[in-house]
Amino acid sequence: MSAGTQLDRPKAAFDPASPPTGTEETCGHPDGVRATARIRATYNGRVTTLPELRSDGPFHLRRMRTGGRAATVGVIGAMSAPLGGDRLALDITAEDRAELDVTTAAATLALRGPTTAPATYDVRLSVGEHACLRWLPKPLISAADSNLHQTCTVNLAATSQLVLREEQILGRANEKPGHLVSRIRVHRAGRLLLDQHTAYGDPEPGWDGPAVLDGHRAVGQLLVVDPELDLQRAPVLLRKGTKDGCAVLAPLAGGPALLATAVARTSSALRELLNEALGHAFGE
Amino acid sequence: MSRAALLLLADGRFPAGGHAHSGGVEAAVAHKAVHDIYSLEAFCRGRLHTTGLTTAGLAAAAAAGCDPLLLDDAADARTPVPALRAVARRLGRQMMRAARATFPSAELDRLAAERPQGAHQPIVQGLAVRAAGLTPKDAACAAAYESTGGPATAAVRLLSLNPLDASRLLARLSAETDTVAAAAADAAARVTTEGLDVLPSASSPLLDITGEQHAAWTMRLFAS
């Protein structure tokens, strides 16, 4: 990252024009960026509109052109983040009957910052009745010596639809990964649907062993929640071995939801597996 | 409270069906990911800190008196593939039978009536530990130990390893097993004030994927 970006960072953190609106963030490292970006989509009876589109810190939000009733927002990285000590959050809400697609323009690269303290990156997704949210960001890359705690908290109504993809790449080409801790929690109609916690990279014990990643450096999930899903089918296994990556697509216990879990050697192989899983989720 | 009761519950010969399961090591051996004592140790360490921690948290919470039905839902949300949910419930049913015979309690009876197909095994184990007058920490310790003891014993059979090497491996992991159990018991102690979300949900992508792969095999030595 360039020296110029470094000089800009404290300014972004303390810019009085954009005070941090998060209520819980209080302990960011003085060098860290604190930013909460918000997207709120509503349905006006004809199309989905975006009454709130609040860029902040590294998240520059841009409305993309679309046809039909859905709205699409692109999250464009406005600075290098997350770095150690940063406190980042992204709040995305699709209110009742809204249809919202959110993507990111580039991979998110977690780098070591001015401190080895962890950065936090919290994504909060909220989907109303008969609303649909597709959150399909580009991969998160855990670069050497980075330290990131990521959470994804999802609240769904009983009739919500969701497509969520998460891809984690452990290290850029041929480097050791940083320390990446993630937790995803999904509630549907007030009930817990999925709770998973993963922790990769040193100093986590056993993370690269045959019970967890076995040398794979790309790991991802695809979650599809849709009240119309047919859940009576058998789990789908993609690739029988494990050497060149493999995935499983299977129904969750607590609701109309399918989860694909995949591991692969490379990000492209991972994407291929998750795309295949997506095809199976909606195709058959 | 009786130390011997804990040894009985954690004993591989306790008739709770655990010996028929490899904890994912049979699939790992088939994929050549586990092929000697060193790769087995790496496997056991990974399993201890993922599934082991999660099941130890559930067992400790059940032993601490948390609502077992809510814990059963929490276990479902932490087990995203049907094959491993089915295994956990089958083992829970077998554990229930053995536990009610050895440490009868109204709580075990109630859970057996509510979940006739079986509750997740660590929850039954936690209730059994409670019925035996033992502590949540004891339940966590038994569950964490089982998360490595099962695969290590299965691997000895699958790879014809020296049982002395496997025991040495488990001895080497014992301090880490205690640490995991302590973390799980700490989380369980916070449930009353902070809710079930504080319980660990550590997971492993490969155990989930290969667990489902293994269930689809037609020929296998172990049930999971």
Side-chain angles (χ1 to χ4, degrees):
Chain A
M1 135 185 159
S2 73
T5 320
Q6 187 119 44
L7 290 173
D8 285 339
R9 298 179 67 77
K11 190 175 149 211
F14 300 118
D15 184 358
S18 57
T21 49
T23 48
E24 67 271 48
E25 297 98 330
T26 50
C27 55
H29 189 278
D31 291 332
V33 173
R34 290 165 56 174
T36 300
R38 291 178 206 284
I39 303 168
R40 188 162 58 86
T42 61
Y43 181 62
N44 68 5
R46 202 169 50 83
V47 291
T48 301
T49 61
L50 297 166
E52 190 172 12
L53 205 57
R54 184 184 185 280
S55 300
D56 193 14
F59 304 114
H60 177 71
L61 306 179
R62 181 174 290 174
R63 194 196 166 123
M64 320 291 264
R65 198 183 297 275
T66 45
R69 55 169 279 192
T72 301
V73 175
V75 181
I76 295 159
M79 65 167 83
S80 179
L83 309 189
D86 289 356
R87 298 274 179 275
L88 308 179
L90 189 55
D91 276 348
I92 304 176
T93 303
E95 293 183 347
D96 292 355
R97 298 190 183 277
E99 194 177 323
L100 175 64
D101 289 10
V102 185
T103 60
T104 58
T108 302
L109 182 60
L111 289 165
R112 196 210 135 111
T115 154
T116 53
T120 64
Y121 179 17
D122 300 311
V123 175
R124 298 182 281 257
L125 309 177
S126 174
V127 191
E129 297 286 354
H130 302 285
C132 175
L133 173 63
R134 283 176 289 267
W135 166 238
L136 300 168
K138 296 264 189 336
L140 173 79
I141 302 168
S142 171
D145 300 319
S146 67
N147 187 359
L148 177 64
H149 289 201
Q150 189 192 27
T151 66
C152 181
T153 311
V154 186
N155 274 301
L156 304 174
T159 53
S160 304
Q161 286 173 274
L162 174 78
V163 180
L164 175 157
R165 185 183 61 214
E166 283 204 327
E167 295 166 314
Q168 299 178 333
I169 311 302
L170 304 175
R172 292 166 294 191
N174 299 320
E175 73 174 5
K176 274 179 65 174
H179 186 202
L180 177 59
V181 177
S182 315
R183 187 165 190 181
I184 179 167
R185 246 177 307 173
V186 183
H187 283 87
R188 178 177 171 273
R191 198 175 160 211
L192 183 64
L193 181 65
L194 177 69
D195 187 340
Q196 281 193 305
H197 183 271
T198 56
Y200 305 130
D202 294 336
E204 296 295 336
W207 69 274
D208 200 22
V212 186
L213 286 181
D214 197 21
H216 293 92
R217 286 290 176 269
V219 53
Q221 294 194 307
L222 177 85
L223 173 65
V224 178
V225 183
D226 184 341
E228 317 250 293
L229 275 179
D230 167 24
L231 298 169
Q232 294 311 308
R233 53 192 168 175
V236 179
L237 295 167
L238 302 173
R239 320 280 188 277
K240 289 288 153 64
T242 56
K243 282 278 171 284
D244 299 312
C246 53
V248 61
L249 174 76
L252 296 179
L258 293 169
L259 179 75
T261 303
V263 295
R265 300 275 160 203
T266 62
S267 61
S268 54
L270 177 71
R271 177 62 63 85
E272 203 174 295
L273 282 164
L274 291 178
N275 281 346
E276 261 183 70
L278 186 65
H280 282 288
F282 285 114
E284 290 178 13
Chain B
M1 101 173 210
S2 152
R3 284 281 124 190
L6 179 61
L7 296 177
L8 172 64
L9 283 168
D11 191 335
R13 289 161 296 186
F14 188 65
H19 64 277
H21 297 263
S22 80
V25 95
E26 184 171 27
V29 166
H31 292 136
K32 307 218 165 19
V34 169
H35 48 83
D36 57 14
I37 201 76
Y38 304 104
S39 47
L40 175 62
E41 180 165 347
F43 180 94
C44 288
R45 179 169 284 114
R47 190 163 195 269
L48 172 66
H49 289 277
T50 53
T51 310
L53 175 62
T54 304
T55 53
L58 292 165
C66 297
D67 181 342
L69 295 179
L70 291 179
L71 288 174
D72 202 46
D73 289 345
D76 262 348
R78 285 160 171 75
T79 320
V81 295
L84 295 184
R85 288 196 294 271
V87 164
R89 290 191 183 284
R90 198 178 323 141
L91 282 169
R93 199 166 60 233
Q94 287 170 286
M95 168 73 76
M96 177 65 85
R97 198 159 156 250
R100 286 170 89 186
T102 44
F103 300 103
S105 86
E107 287 174 329
L108 281 170
D109 292 345
R110 204 154 43 230
L111 182 60
E114 296 273 6
R115 291 281 183 277
Q117 301 305 308
H120 279 258
Q121 191 256 10
I123 295 153
V124 183
Q125 189 178 33
L127 281 188
V129 164
R130 183 176 167 81
L134 295 156
T135 66
K137 176 82 189 289
D138 293 326
C141 208
Y145 172 71
E146 198 175 273
S147 74
T148 55
T153 314
V156 167
R157 287 171 63 189
L158 289 161
L159 291 167
S160 306
L161 297 175
N162 183 342
L164 298 179
D165 290 339
S167 296
R168 191 159 52 232
L169 177 169
L170 291 173
R172 261 200 306 272
L173 284 175
S174 60
E176 270 178 71
T177 306
D178 283 355
T179 309
V180 164
D186 282 351
R190 281 158 47 207
V191 168
T192 39
T193 50
E194 296 171 49
L196 288 175
D197 280 352
V198 303
L199 289 179
S201 58
S203 68
S204 142
L206 268 180
L207 288 178
D208 287 341
I209 298 168
T210 60
E212 202 60 55
Q213 288 176 343
H214 183 270
W217 295 2
T218 46
M219 290 283 286
R220 56 187 186 221
L221 196 56
F222 289 91
S224 76

